[in-house]
Amino acid sequence: MRFRVLGPVSLAPRTPSAAKPRALLATLLTQAGEVVPAPALIDELWGTEPPRTATTTLQVYVSQLRKVLGEGGSDERAGALLTRAPGYLLEVAEQEFDLPRFERLRTQGRTTLQERDYVHASWLLHEALALWTGPALSGIPHGVRLESAAIRLDELRMDVLEQRILADLRLGRHQELAGELLALANEHPLRESVHGHLMVALYRTGRGSDALRVYGRLRHSLVEELGVEPGPALARLHERVLRRDPALDWRPDREGGGSAGRAPHGPPSPRGDRAVGSGAPADSEGRVHAVPGPPPPVLPAATPGFVGRHGELAQGEGVLRAGPDRAPVLAVSGPAGVGKTAFALHLAHRVAGLFPDGQVFVSLRGPHGSPLTAAQAAAALLRRLVDEVPGSWLTDPEEVTDRLRRALRGRRLLIVLDDAVSEEQIRPLLPPGDTSAVIVTGRRGLPALDAAEHIALDTVRPDEAVELLMTAGGERMARDPVTAGEIARLCGYFPLALRVAAAALTARPHTTAAALAERLRDERTRLGVLREGDLDLRSSLLTGFQEAGAEQQQAFRLLSLAPGPDFAGWTAAALLGTGPVAGRESAEELVRAHLLEARTDGPLPRYRFHSLLRVLAAELRAGEPDGERTRRDAVERLGGAYLALARYADQQLVPGREWGEQEDRSDRGEREDREGRGDREGRGDRLERPASALTEGDVAAVVGTSPLRWFREEITGLVETVRQAHTAELWPLVWQLAGSAAGYFHVCAAWEDWEETHRLALDAALRAGDLAALATVRYSLGDLAWQRRDADRAMAYYTAAQHAFGLAGDRIGAARCRIGAADILLGRGRPGAAARRYGRALALCSAGGDLRGGVAALNGLALVNLQLGREETAAAQLAQCRGSAERLGDRRWTEYLRRTTVRLTTPTPHAVEVQPGIWLIAAAPHSAPA
């Protein structure tokens, strides 16, 4: 072994001599194969008061460690320390590292022990323990992470030791075990399981009185130190020793095979040959008869501190209490980390009394997290129910299913099947008849499971999340309920995330809830913070992702770019580069896999990520080899879709606002011939249709008949897409998107979004050196300043935009700027100067076919005449203006002009509406032009 943590931390051929580099090595080894954030490493090495040079010093230690790792030879797989944002990743080959080998032997030993192959189990567990050379992670200073890891590893070693002792007891090695167990009992004076094994070993070597004394000493210690009596299992064992129960005697033919000799020094024979020479009789079908088994095992303990879910628990209890006409099946689904297993166990304990023949819990995943096949799952359930164990692995699924049905028939059991992946995996496990009940948990909803009732779990309520944190997080969390609320929000109200956060605080007695909240605020490291001991939120969330297909995984990564709190099916299609139908189906697949959520309170579903799943998707996307290019392409596709939709909605909301849209193809061609190609190129980026997979029919269907509703629903996403396009340096897309929403900003006075998007658009136009785009953005910023009553700034923008439009040869753009400047002059009480600009603009708009510009200019002239007391002239101009607005199809302007005409007979002396919804306050009348 080159890397060792099961004892003093060491690295072959040379271990770093300084303590902190060794601690760094140990921290990276305990999380080998995972990125450890640099802040977490700094916390581990220096605690809560790191030096100012901590980051630099950490980099020095990493460099030193890389040098030592390089001395190990040419095999790069043996150990590579890589820089991976936001920290470092140590890659270690399993055959070179004692910890993964120990974990593998431990898992194999436990599984083999459950199969009652005691010879093989004893050998595997002996091999696992032989890897230990002392207390875990010894010889280095421990921070919080290393201390937690050391405690966990030492506890695992003790667990493996007890399993090996149990296997040796089954093999009759009582004499050898007595001395070892006496030493262990002395070392662990309050560990009941060790004392129970010692009592059995002593009793079976003819030392029953010593076994009773062991119990007496343990009882005295428990009562004196903890104020509790020994547990029920140990008390029953004591009672059996007192009455010399014959069932306590060891019989080779009853204990599952094996020799009472020494522990094996090499691997045993394959388990298929176990009956040969084992002392366990086999029948003609090759089956080994095992000791009569206990009743079906009881459920695992319920998760402590369970809160909330009152409605779901009541629903589940109602299903499980169903009448005798059917066997209840309850399918509990939800995303990883939402607490499905905890819910199922809590519910099962509540109704356990209804099932007198016992309650059985079966995990439907193997030791490494892979799903069991239906036959493997049936065999796992069968082993918990029957007294007869097959002598070799049963490979015939039909035989396994038949055995299981016979074992279930006539018994009233509650069966909890945890972490199912499909209906096919579950169906062979369902009990025949109507006496038993089943609870199934899984990320997918299993809709095709016949006659099942379904409960879909979501996150807990905010108040329940805070209650869970305060229950599990101890006094420091309870003292700061405001911060607990923030932590709950940052954890997305996910039960697993909440429990990890509480554990993280409990494991660090020197820190506070506020400090934990501070660490959780950074999305880049949040999942790394939510890991404590064997509770790892990232691993839990990754399981659901890894079970998805390749296309779903790519969709999961790309859809994390969706802007806004939620998004529509067309957004998914744009990001994925598909049509609308395929995009919606991809989103629905992720919903079924609980990697995405659906909101159905509108005419069409909208989708959203849970906050923690979005963080995971962003991490995975950032880790792709060509992630930046993929991101840029997706943003460009999304921007193209937003642009097509926003332009369509803008044309419905404010017809003719984009003056380029009013020219038909023939008119445009004539103007290009007349004015030259350069003028057309000057407006090309602004008028160019976006690249989008959406057809005209798709666009019309998405926007519908309410463009204002569409803008209100999508404006948050559109603004975020402007930001993303600017970050990706997609300059034309930035100003095109900003301009496409300018009409909505104007109508709704959405000043903050208007300013932000157009500041980015102005920067994009300057970077690209696009004169026409620069003019258009400055013109829109002039409108914004005018709405905000900042006349000086508005005039500066209009003047600069008019000059740029003139250089670009855009007469209509220049005319629109003249109208804006005239509006300011009118507001300043200079109707004569305003009239001259309105008149020139009206001539340009009429010549260029700009109907909307003509409406605005003619309206301005009417206001001038109204201000000068020429009501008849103003009325005639308003009537002409209203006719143009009706031809344009603009209901807002048509209604405004109707209101203004009515007000001619009832004037408001101190205010006048100068445009739809925009009022000029205290406009002083003049009898002569300025």
Side-chain angles (χ1 to χ4, degrees):
M1 291 292 164
R2 186 181 179 198
F3 301 92
R4 289 187 175 274
V5 295
L6 303 180
V9 176
S10 66
L11 167 62
R14 180 171 69 88
T15 304
S17 57
K20 285 210 179 331
R22 290 205 313 276
L24 172 62
L25 172 64
T27 305
L28 292 169
L29 282 172
T30 57
Q31 295 179 244
E34 301 177 11
V35 176
V36 185
L41 292 171
I42 291 172
D43 284 350
E44 184 61 34
L45 295 179
W46 288 284
T48 58
E49 297 182 359
R52 287 180 297 174
T53 59
T55 300
T56 303
T57 307
L58 175 63
Q59 292 168 351
V60 171
Y61 291 161
V62 168
S63 177
Q64 293 173 353
L65 197 52
R66 282 176 173 151
K67 182 178 179 181
V68 175
L69 289 168
E71 298 173 4
S74 60
D75 186 2
E76 295 182 356
R77 296 175 302 169
L81 181 50
L82 309 176
T83 300
R84 291 285 186 271
Y88 300 95
L89 179 147
L90 181 60
E91 292 183 343
V92 179
E94 180 178 338
Q95 66 270 20
E96 297 288 339
F97 188 13
D98 60 359
L99 179 55
R101 177 166 171 77
F102 170 74
E103 292 278 9
R104 180 165 54 81
L105 289 168
R106 179 179 74 91
T107 301
Q108 291 174 344
R110 182 182 63 222
T111 302
T112 311
L113 184 65
Q114 290 171 347
E115 295 158 6
R116 302 188 184 186
D117 186 351
Y118 303 122
V119 173
H120 196 194
S122 176
W123 180 81
L124 288 167
L125 297 169
H126 268 285
E127 289 291 299
L129 293 168
L131 294 169
W132 286 73
T133 58
L137 298 165
S138 54
I140 56 170
H142 286 185
V144 174
R145 285 173 179 261
L146 287 178
E147 184 63 26
S148 298
I151 292 171
R152 172 181 170 272
L153 290 173
D154 284 334
E155 186 60 30
L156 284 179
R157 178 185 178 276
M158 194 65 193
D159 181 57
V160 169
L161 179 59
E162 290 192 29
Q163 291 182 41
R164 195 226 78 210
I165 288 170
L166 178 59
D168 286 347
L169 282 173
R170 294 287 192 176
L171 293 169
R173 296 170 182 156
H174 315 110
Q175 196 69 45
E176 295 179 7
L177 288 172
E180 180 183 5
L181 285 167
L182 282 167
L184 281 174
N186 186 62
E187 185 180 347
H188 302 278
L190 301 180
R191 198 171 183 106
E192 295 187 31
S193 53
V194 169
H195 286 75
H197 292 323
L198 175 58
M199 289 172 66
V200 172
L202 291 173
Y203 180 83
R204 288 180 175 177
T205 54
R207 300 168 62 184
S209 58
D210 289 338
L212 295 174
R213 276 193 289 271
V214 167
Y215 179 84
R217 283 195 300 269
L218 173 65
R219 181 179 180 278
H220 180 268
S221 298
L222 289 172
V223 171
E224 287 294 317
E225 296 188 32
L226 303 179
V228 298
E229 291 283 344
L234 202 64
R236 285 195 296 271
L237 177 60
H238 175 245
E239 190 270 335
R240 294 174 69 188
V241 172
L242 278 173
R243 58 184 173 86
R244 298 186 178 276
D245 184 354
L248 275 179
D249 297 334
W250 182 73
R251 295 184 178 86
D253 63 339
R254 198 191 66 175
E255 294 290 346
S259 166
R262 297 178 59 84
H265 294 283
S269 302
R271 280 173 283 169
D273 301 331
R274 185 177 62 187
V276 179
S278 69
D283 62 17
S284 59
E285 296 180 14
R287 289 189 293 263
V288 177
H289 293 275
V291 60
V298 295
L299 296 166
T303 304
F306 185 91
V307 299
R309 309 286 195 201
H310 304 297
E312 293 93 338
L313 286 169
Q315 179 186 351
E317 189 167 343
V319 171
L320 297 176
R321 290 181 179 274
D325 56 331
R326 66 188 184 95
V329 177
L330 179 66
V332 180
S333 63
V338 83
K340 301 179 293 295
T341 303
F343 173 84
L345 286 174
H346 194 76
L347 175 61
H349 279 281
R350 282 176 55 151
V351 300
L354 299 174
F355 302 95
D357 292 330
Q359 307 87 40
V360 186
F361 180 92
V362 180
S363 173
L364 298 179
R365 290 186 182 271
H368 301 292
S370 57
L372 301 181
T373 65
Q376 289 172 333
L381 178 55
L382 186 63
R383 280 194 294 271
R384 287 159 174 75
L385 296 173
V386 301
D387 297 338
E388 189 177 272
V389 179
S392 61
W393 287 106
L394 290 172
T395 57
D396 184 354
E398 292 186 5
E399 182 180 353
V400 174
T401 302
D402 182 63
R403 283 170 167 267
L404 179 60
R405 286 177 177 165
R406 281 188 278 125
L408 290 169
R409 187 171 293 116
R411 302 171 76 173
R412 186 154 180 78
L413 295 163
L414 175 61
I415 303 170
V416 181
L417 304 174
D418 189 47
D419 216 353
V421 295
S422 68
E423 293 89 344
E424 181 183 9
Q425 183 190 36
I426 292 299
R427 286 194 182 99
L429 311 183
L430 299 181
D434 54 13
T435 57
S436 295
V438 178
I439 303 175
V440 185
T441 73
R443 274 180 283 278
R444 293 181 178 270
L446 306 178
L449 200 59
D450 296 336
E453 298 286 341
H454 296 270
I455 294 179
L457 295 183
D458 202 348
T459 55
V460 295
R461 298 198 316 263
D463 60 316
E464 294 172 343
V466 171
E467 181 185 352
L468 194 158
L469 281 172
M470 290 184 169
T471 301
E475 184 181 352
R476 281 171 294 153
M477 188 74 79
R479 281 200 305 261
D480 195 351
V482 174
T483 302
E486 183 185 5
I487 292 172
R489 179 182 59 79
L490 293 170
C491 290
Y493 309 112
F494 252 36
L496 177 58
L498 296 166
R499 292 189 183 281
V500 179
L505 184 63
T506 303
R508 294 166 176 78
H510 54 279
T511 193
T512 64
L516 175 61
E518 178 65 29
R519 296 172 65 207
L520 288 170
R521 288 188 190 113
D522 189 347
E523 282 192 354
R524 296 169 300 177
T525 57
R526 186 176 300 165
L527 295 182
V529 173
L530 291 174
R531 170 179 174 169
E532 199 64 45
D534 61 352
L535 295 175
D536 186 349
L537 180 67
R538 181 190 279 108
S539 294
S540 178
L541 298 179
L542 269 174
T543 303
F545 169 79
Q546 290 163 347
E547 288 181 355
E551 290 185 4
Q552 288 179 307
Q553 291 181 356
Q554 178 67 357
F556 179 72
R557 290 189 291 261
L558 282 177
L559 292 185
S560 67
L561 288 168
D566 54 28
F567 57 93
W570 66 262
T571 308
L575 287 169
L576 301 178
T578 67
V581 174
R584 282 194 299 272
E585 184 54 37
S586 294
E588 288 294 334
E589 281 291 324
L590 293 177
V591 170
R592 286 191 283 273
H594 285 284
L595 295 172
L596 203 62
E597 299 172 0
R599 197 193 83 194
T600 56
D601 52 353
L604 290 173
R606 293 182 68 83
Y607 306 97
R608 64 187 176 194
F609 277 94
H610 184 276
S611 59
L612 295 175
L613 285 169
R614 184 186 286 271
V615 170
L616 176 66
E619 274 190 12
L620 294 169
R621 192 187 68 246
E624 288 185 291
D626 199 15
E628 194 56 40
R629 180 64 191 176
T630 300
R631 181 184 187 279
R632 191 178 193 275
D633 291 346
V635 170
E636 190 168 17
R637 291 193 300 269
L638 178 62
Y642 259 119
L643 192 52
L645 292 162
R647 281 181 168 171
Y648 179 87
D650 179 70
Q651 177 62 20
Q652 308 307 309
L653 183 65
V654 193
R657 188 189 64 82
E658 283 279 359
W659 51 93
E661 302 294 333
Q662 299 171 52
E663 300 176 304
D664 62 28
R665 295 181 183 274
S666 61
D667 291 339
R668 191 176 304 169
E670 290 174 7
R671 290 194 60 196
E672 289 170 1
D673 292 340
R674 188 169 61 248
E675 298 173 2
R677 184 175 178 84
D679 179 50
R680 176 169 57 83
E681 290 178 346
R683 297 191 309 275
D685 279 328
R686 181 164 54 81
L687 303 179
E688 181 183 352
R689 285 291 180 184
S692 169
L694 296 173
T695 66
E696 290 185 6
D698 294 333
V699 169
V702 169
V703 175
T705 59
S706 178
L708 189 59
R709 176 202 57 77
W710 183 86
F711 267 120
R712 283 174 174 160
E713 195 167 57
E714 297 292 350
I715 195 60
T716 301
L718 192 151
V719 171
E720 176 59 29
T721 304
V722 173
R723 297 188 193 108
Q724 292 183 5
H726 188 274
T727 301
E729 300 183 358
L730 298 166
W731 305 131
L733 187 58
V734 175
W735 68 68
Q736 288 173 345
L737 277 173
S740 70
Y744 169 78
F745 295 148
H746 193 290
V747 168
C748 296
W751 294 344
E752 288 77 13
D753 287 341
W754 192 348
E755 178 156 22
E756 182 186 0
T757 56
H758 281 65
R759 290 290 179 195
L760 293 173
L762 186 64
D763 179 70
L766 287 168
R767 289 173 182 265
D770 191 292
L771 187 62
L774 199 59
T776 303
V777 174
R778 283 174 172 162
Y779 167 65
S780 186
L781 287 169
D783 283 350
L784 171 61
W786 182 69
Q787 268 204 16
R788 285 178 156 175
R789 298 295 184 260
D790 190 346
D792 292 337
R793 184 183 294 273
M795 184 62 82
Y797 276 127
Y798 286 141
T799 302
Q802 182 179 337
H803 177 69
F805 278 130
L807 293 175
D810 190 339
R811 294 182 176 86
I812 294 178
R816 295 280 184 98
C817 293
R818 288 176 182 272
I819 296 169
D823 289 338
I824 294 171
L825 292 171
L826 182 64
R828 287 175 169 172
R830 299 177 59 191
R836 288 191 292 274
R837 283 171 172 76
Y838 283 134
R840 176 61 178 154
L842 180 59
L844 290 171
C845 291
S846 298
D850 179 14
L851 197 56
R852 169 165 288 282
V855 169
L858 194 57
N859 175 69
L861 287 171
L863 294 174
V864 168
N865 285 313
L866 186 60
Q867 210 175 90
L868 296 174
R870 303 168 185 167
E871 285 83 0
E872 290 184 6
T873 304
Q877 290 170 327
L878 288 171
Q880 183 183 353
C881 192
R882 182 176 177 183
S884 297
E886 288 173 347
R887 288 197 303 277
L888 189 62
D890 193 321
R891 288 178 292 178
R892 290 178 63 255
W893 267 87
T894 301
E895 183 59 24
Y896 153 73
L897 291 164
R898 184 195 64 77
R899 292 195 304 269
T900 304
T901 302
V902 170
R903 291 191 187 108
L904 290 176
T905 58
T906 56
T908 305
H910 300 297
V912 60
E913 190 179 12
V914 295
Q915 286 186 17
I918 299 176
W919 291 77
L920 183 62
I921 308 299
H926 286 255
S927 58

